[in-house]
Amino acid sequence: MQSFLQYRRLRREAQEDLGRAKQAERPTCSTLSTSTSEPKEEKPKEEEFNGAESKKLTRVPGVIVSRPDEGNGSIVFEVGWKENDPSNPLNWTLAKKWMAMLTCCALAIPLTMLASIEGPTQDAFNEYYGVGAVAGSMTTGIFLIGIGVGSLFSGPFSETFGRNAVYFSTMVVVLLFIMAKALAPNYGAALAFRFLCALFAASPMTVAGGTIGDIWTPMQLPFGLPLVTFAAYAGPILGPVVSAYTPEIGFAWADWISMIIIGTALVFVLLAQPETFGPVLLEWRAKHLRELTGDSRYQAKHASATSLGTRLLTNVYRPFTMIWTEPIILVFSFYLVLLYFVLFTFLNGYSYIFTRTYGISTSMTFIIWSAMMPGVFVAMALIPYIYHLTKKAAAKAAAAGQPLQPEVSLYWAMAGASILMPVSLFWMAWTCYRDISIWSPIVASGVFGYSLVCIFTTSYMYIIFVYLQYAASALGFMTFSRYILSGALSPASVIMYENLGPHLALTIVAVIATVMAPVPFILYKYGRRIRAMSKHVQNKA
């Protein structure tokens, strides 16, 4: 609905701009007609005519003359934004930007919830299809792999067709495959539909990052981005809580509940989400100018350079090139792989940590997953403070005549998160004993939740700050790597917890987290040098 209203609004603005341009021509025409001197009848040269025509046609605000091929003298009128254009997403009011953020959260929570919502139903699923624990855990593993594959395409497609086209189409397809999985006649079909569902559910993990980059300026990012990143992690945390008691009424109810939540979110997003991708909005404006003037030379800048097919091929190929050209993405990808491995192995590991140790029910074990949420709320309370630090850094940079450095995005991870990550894992590993209160590993889960969302927020904010218009592609590769690897390792977690026990299993990942703890501080000091080594970096300040 909002996209349709935007489309009509851009047409109305194009009509008004053309009307003002014609109005500006009238005084000149009037002066010429009332001149008492008789003009000489001299035929203008073709070059003079083209120059005068160009001048007349480009009085439309935001339109400039481009000569893509100097050899044949062709002219293209590149359509851009007017000064302080209210239709430019970067110039939207704060209320409109926050509304766009709210709709991104409405997408992120239910679609990321799909990754973990089947955790409590795992035993019932295994029994129904007659498979073992390792094979049953593949429902989570295959879903994570599907998200990894889908993320490579959802970002580039959104950079070609617009954010909303990807949001709307993928949500509809996700609903269909959730239903197909719930009705699957056998284990193989269930896995296949689970993979296809994940393939299209990947959009919020990548495209939402692009949406954020579309509407927030660098100074506004520290205030606007955390809301969506927190929502993206609230989904996997809340998934097992929502479905904790579904095994008692049938494991398929995890799918039916998912459909109800996602269907409700789809209606809300259809009504409230505006298109935020600037190049698509400019294509709409150029289309209106062509129709209103009958002049085919009005083109959006990126549209006039290459064909649609070429742009799509470039956008799909770009994330793969980042594998070997972007050291920043490789560093953050490895960090997030570790986080996701820990988070999603908890789907299997929590039964070893809580159910077997303390003798509580499976449903209550997954209710304990909500213990991570207080950590998320603590992180949200830090938003004003982190924003204050960012403003202070910006003022200092402005006083020195320098741009704001993207390394301010690392404040979230440096606010204790990278250090508290291994602390929480060691804490949980060596206090989950029957003779130690159950509240000890529960509180450790909350500390882990805080570290999780802060490091994730740092990763997203830094990548968006650095890659700007290519943020969706950059985030696409990061999503691909962390989901593919964590999905492949998910079935192994059953064997790991079974053979090593929760104490040693958690200690191993805690040691790796300890090695990664200095990464944000190293990037803060040497980030500029690392950015200089990256090919696709847009912000090399």
Side-chain angles (χ1 to χ4, degrees):
M1 178 62 73
Q2 287 297 317
S3 295
F4 176 70
L5 294 176
Q6 278 179 291
Y7 186 81
R8 294 189 62 180
R9 191 180 305 116
L10 284 169
R11 185 177 184 86
R12 186 171 63 251
E13 290 175 358
Q15 289 174 324
E16 292 172 356
D17 290 339
L18 288 170
R20 281 191 289 268
K22 290 180 180 178
Q23 197 80 19
E25 295 171 17
R26 289 178 183 175
T28 304
C29 296
S30 175
T31 302
L32 290 173
S33 63
T34 56
S35 175
T36 54
S37 60
E38 294 183 4
K40 296 179 180 179
E41 292 186 7
E42 184 175 334
K43 187 176 182 180
K45 296 179 181 178
E46 185 177 353
E47 292 82 358
E48 293 175 352
F49 177 77
N50 285 338
E53 184 186 28
S54 300
K55 184 176 179 181
K56 179 181 73 174
L57 289 173
T58 55
R59 283 178 179 173
V60 178
V63 177
I64 61 173
V65 176
S66 173
R67 298 179 184 273
D69 190 348
E70 294 289 348
N72 60 17
S74 63
I75 293 175
V76 170
F77 298 105
E78 288 188 357
V79 178
W81 295 114
K82 300 176 286 187
E83 186 176 357
N84 300 319
D85 196 330
S87 294
N88 184 347
L90 288 172
N91 296 332
W92 286 353
T93 63
L94 281 178
K96 191 171 183 179
K97 290 183 178 183
W98 280 115
M99 190 63 190
M101 288 295 92
L102 185 61
T103 54
C104 282
C105 291
L107 281 164
I109 292 176
L111 289 176
T112 54
M113 189 184 293
L114 287 173
S116 61
I117 199 168
E118 295 196 352
T121 67
Q122 197 66 69
D123 291 340
F125 176 90
N126 297 349
E127 183 180 352
Y128 181 83
Y129 288 111
V131 297
V134 175
S137 67
M138 276 302 297
T139 57
T140 298
I142 201 70
F143 189 87
L144 298 178
I145 292 171
I147 289 179
V149 175
S151 66
L152 286 174
F153 298 95
S154 57
F157 269 77
S158 77
E159 291 168 357
T160 303
F161 300 109
R163 313 299 187 196
N164 280 357
V166 173
Y167 285 144
F168 301 155
S169 59
T170 54
M171 288 186 77
V172 171
V173 176
V174 164
L175 286 171
L176 295 175
F177 283 125
I178 292 175
M179 181 175 64
K181 186 264 171 186
L183 302 173
N186 53 59
Y187 172 73
L191 281 188
F193 288 129
R194 183 92 167 130
F195 174 81
L196 292 171
C197 175
L199 198 67
F200 292 93
S203 59
M205 274 69 83
T206 50
V207 181
T211 298
I212 294 164
D214 293 338
I215 65 177
W216 296 111
T217 64
M219 268 306 298
Q220 294 172 327
L221 269 179
F223 212 88
L225 175 65
L227 181 67
V228 175
T229 58
F230 294 165
Y233 266 98
I237 292 172
L238 292 174
V241 179
V242 170
S243 63
Y245 290 95
T246 53
E248 298 179 9
I249 58 176
F251 71 89
W253 269 99
D255 297 312
W256 303 133
I257 291 172
S258 298
M259 287 188 68
I260 293 169
I261 296 173
I262 293 174
T264 303
L266 175 59
V267 173
F268 174 68
V269 171
L270 280 170
L271 294 176
Q273 177 72 343
E275 177 58 61
T276 63
F277 193 48
V280 167
L281 296 175
L282 289 176
E283 281 188 354
W284 291 354
R285 185 173 186 236
K287 179 175 181 291
H288 293 318
L289 287 171
R290 289 195 299 270
E291 291 176 351
L292 293 169
T293 62
D295 193 329
S296 62
R297 291 176 295 178
Y298 285 100
Q299 299 287 337
K301 185 174 182 179
H302 74 287
S304 60
T306 56
S307 67
L308 176 63
T310 303
R311 280 188 288 127
L312 182 57
L313 183 62
T314 301
N315 287 340
V316 171
Y317 176 74
R318 188 184 298 122
F320 291 95
T321 66
M322 291 180 172
I323 295 174
W324 57 82
T325 64
E326 310 302 310
I328 295 173
I329 295 178
L330 292 177
V331 170
F332 278 116
S333 294
F334 183 78
Y335 212 160
L336 293 180
V337 164
L338 174 65
L339 296 183
Y340 265 59
F341 174 72
V342 176
L343 177 63
F344 286 103
T345 54
F346 275 169
L347 285 171
N348 301 313
Y350 257 41
S351 63
Y352 293 89
I353 298 169
F354 292 101
T355 309
R356 300 190 182 189
T357 303
Y358 296 100
I360 62 176
S361 67
T362 301
S363 297
M364 183 55 67
T365 296
F366 284 102
I367 291 293
I368 292 176
W369 263 67
S370 61
M372 292 186 232
M373 284 305 296
V376 177
F377 295 139
V378 171
M380 290 181 69
L382 287 177
I383 292 177
Y385 177 66
I386 300 294
Y387 184 61
H388 168 73
L389 292 179
T390 305
K391 287 181 67 177
K392 189 176 179 180
K396 185 178 179 180
Q402 298 175 347
L404 179 63
Q405 299 292 306
E407 282 65 39
V408 297
S409 306
L410 298 168
Y411 288 157
W412 283 100
M414 294 166 66
S418 66
I419 297 171
L420 288 174
M421 172 63 68
V423 168
S424 66
L425 294 172
F426 279 122
W427 180 354
M428 191 181 299
W430 295 105
T431 62
C432 60
Y433 287 96
R434 186 178 295 275
D435 57 345
I436 297 177
S437 172
I438 192 174
W439 286 101
S440 182
I442 288 176
V443 174
S445 296
V447 177
F448 175 79
Y450 168 79
S451 302
L452 187 76
V453 295
C454 286
I455 294 172
F456 185 79
T457 300
T458 277
S459 303
Y460 260 53
M461 190 177 297
Y462 193 69
I463 293 301
I464 292 171
F465 207 151
V466 167
Y467 288 94
L468 301 176
Q469 70 187 79
Y470 296 141
S473 291
L475 293 173
F477 174 73
M478 288 175 58
T479 305
F480 171 78
S481 59
R482 73 177 184 265
Y483 276 103
I484 289 289
L485 291 176
S486 58
L489 294 172
S490 181
S493 66
V494 176
I495 302 172
M496 183 178 74
Y497 278 100
E498 185 69 44
N499 293 339
L500 299 179
H503 315 298
L504 285 177
L506 287 172
T507 298
I508 291 172
V509 292
V511 169
I512 300 173
T514 302
V515 174
M516 296 297 294
V519 166
F521 300 92
I522 294 172
L523 278 176
Y524 188 77
K525 186 172 183 179
Y526 300 106
R528 186 172 184 178
R529 297 183 189 177
I530 297 174
R531 281 186 283 121
M533 298 163 56
S534 298
K535 180 180 178 181
H536 292 284
V537 163
Q538 300 295 296
N539 186 351
K540 296 187 178 182

